Amino acid sequence: MQLYKTKRFTSPPVRAVFPDLSKPDQFGKFKISVDLLNHPEFEEILTQQADQCVAEAQAKLETKKKPASSTSFIKDGEYKDVPYRRVSFSMNSSRKARKGDEVVEVPQKPLIVDASLKPMNKIVWGGSLVRVSYQMQFTISNFGVHVKPVLVGVQVLELVGPSGEVRATDLFSAEEGYVDDGETPEVTEAAEDEDSVDDTIKDGRDF
């Protein structure tokens, strides 16, 4: 197998789709996909980088081989009847390294940082606003010639929850007024009257 990797690139801010960054997926890969329909300028950048990768690899590896398409890593489809166009970045959970005369498997994982570049361990959910660090990789193997973006790391600019919830600070600014004391009020007799209406919000999701 012959392999060539470009220098590292960084994406513009994009929305994450089905990220697997806290642990590898069933195929032993960390990965994250991002939306391209709303970011056509990023698709143009990826296309240019892939074409450049092929040219550099051909010169470095002294080969005329090239993939049938340099952007086959861009996928179109539908999810719940909604069309999408995405690119996926992946990293194997281990890599081969030489230890003396032996070749061993060494664990690896992508670097995940917050907006201030502080390493973070929280789960990154789909819909989060991120920037992706990656390299273009050119490979010649028994399966053919391929170009794909390889994941290096992710910077989380806006973290959302498992159902797309955003943090309170993303919606509001602090104001003077009521401050919750954390205590649960006692139920009064009036509140137990069958004609009374319980309009207490049970959960933040009721908003």
Side-chain angles (χ1 to χ4, degrees), residues 74-89:
I74 296 177
K75 304 296 183 183
D76 292 291
E78 284 190 0
Y79 180 70
K80 294 184 177 179
D81 297 324
V82 178
Y84 66 76
R85 187 168 177 81
R86 300 173 184 158
V87 57
S88 292
F89 305 84

Side-chain angles (χ1 to χ4, degrees), residues 11-19 32-39 41-42 85-87 89 124-132 154-161 164-166 170:
S11 77
V14 287
R15 292 290 174 183
V17 181
F18 299 129
I32 183 172
S33 297
V34 301
D35 167 66
L36 290 179
L37 280 180
N38 295 316
H39 301 282
E41 73 288 348
F42 185 36
R85 187 168 177 81
R86 300 173 184 158
V87 57
F89 305 84
V124 179
W125 299 93
S128 295
L129 187 67
V130 301
R131 298 179 73 200
V132 182
V154 174
Q155 181 184 26
V156 181
L157 304 178
E158 177 187 295
L159 183 65
V160 303
E165 302 98 334
V166 297
D170 293 327

